[in-house]
Amino acid sequence: HLASPPAPFQVGNFACHPGSLAAGATFDCVGNVTYGAAGIYNMFAQVDTDQNIIESAEGNNVFGPQPITVAPLPDLTVTGIVSNPATPAPGDIVAIQVTVQNIGPGPASDGFFVDFYRHSATPPGSVFGDFACFVSSLASGASTTCNGTVSYASEGTFQQWARVDLDGFERETIA
């Protein structure tokens, strides 16, 4: 991102070297650039950056600005798990409600799963939950719930967990 065109010898984010190029020929230079935040940025392209080629017109070596809009990303988080009944008897059907919120500035529009784990002594790794719900989209600041049922065969204290976007379908803000 530059506010003004690059000067000769000012190297960009990536470079391509086509070798020789015949009169009237073209060359595609393709690379990747990562932007750290949402916003509108100006892109420029410059040829013969190091001024090695003697040309009839040096003033046309820069193209731009070409604006690009980088969209804000979501940030999905589990904000709560509710069990009903809160203290079930062995064999009871327990209704579970997992609440997920998008605390990021951008919408979650690629779809994601919410997984619930009825018991794990430690945070679950990359395994699917005991039940899951698919959420197709979630606006910035919005919340949604995932509802399902489980049962416990014996009495005891169980560590419930929930995880959002185990599959990594949504690109999210970097925490």
Side-chain angles (χ1 to χ4, degrees):
H1 171 66
L2 296 174
S4 60
F9 303 99
Q10 184 177 352
V11 179
N13 296 91
F14 64 89
C16 301
H17 302 282
S20 63
L21 196 60
T26 62
F27 174 79
D28 291 328
C29 178
V30 179
N32 295 314
V33 177
T34 301
Y35 294 90
I40 299 174
Y41 297 91
N42 288 326
M43 297 184 297
F44 291 89
Q46 180 174 224
V47 298
D48 192 24
T49 302
D50 53 8
Q51 305 288 292
N52 280 338
I53 307 298
I54 298 171
E55 302 177 62
S56 60
E58 293 287 345
N60 63 357
N61 287 359
V62 176
F63 174 82
Q66 176 69 45
I68 182 172
T69 301
V70 178
L73 296 174
D75 187 0
L76 302 170
T77 186
V78 175
T79 59
I81 301 172
V82 176
S83 300
N84 188 13
T87 309
D92 283 356
I93 300 296
V94 181
I96 303 294
Q97 182 178 71
V98 178
T99 303
V100 173
Q101 185 178 14
N102 179 359
I103 61 173
S109 55
D110 293 329
F112 58 90
F113 284 95
V114 178
D115 286 85
F116 173 79
Y117 306 83
R118 63 188 190 102
H119 177 66
S120 180
T122 59
S126 298
V127 296
F128 296 115
D130 294 296
F131 71 81
C133 303
F134 182 75
V135 179
S136 60
S137 64
L138 190 61
S140 174
S143 294
T144 190
T145 57
C146 171
N147 299 293
T149 59
V150 296
S151 65
Y152 295 92
S154 62
E155 63 183 47
T157 301
F158 299 92
Q159 298 296 315
Q160 297 175 332
W161 296 86
R163 184 167 184 174
V164 63
D165 200 26
L166 170 68
D167 302 301
F169 292 156
E170 283 291 339
R171 252 187 50 204
E172 298 184 58
T173 56
I174 299 172

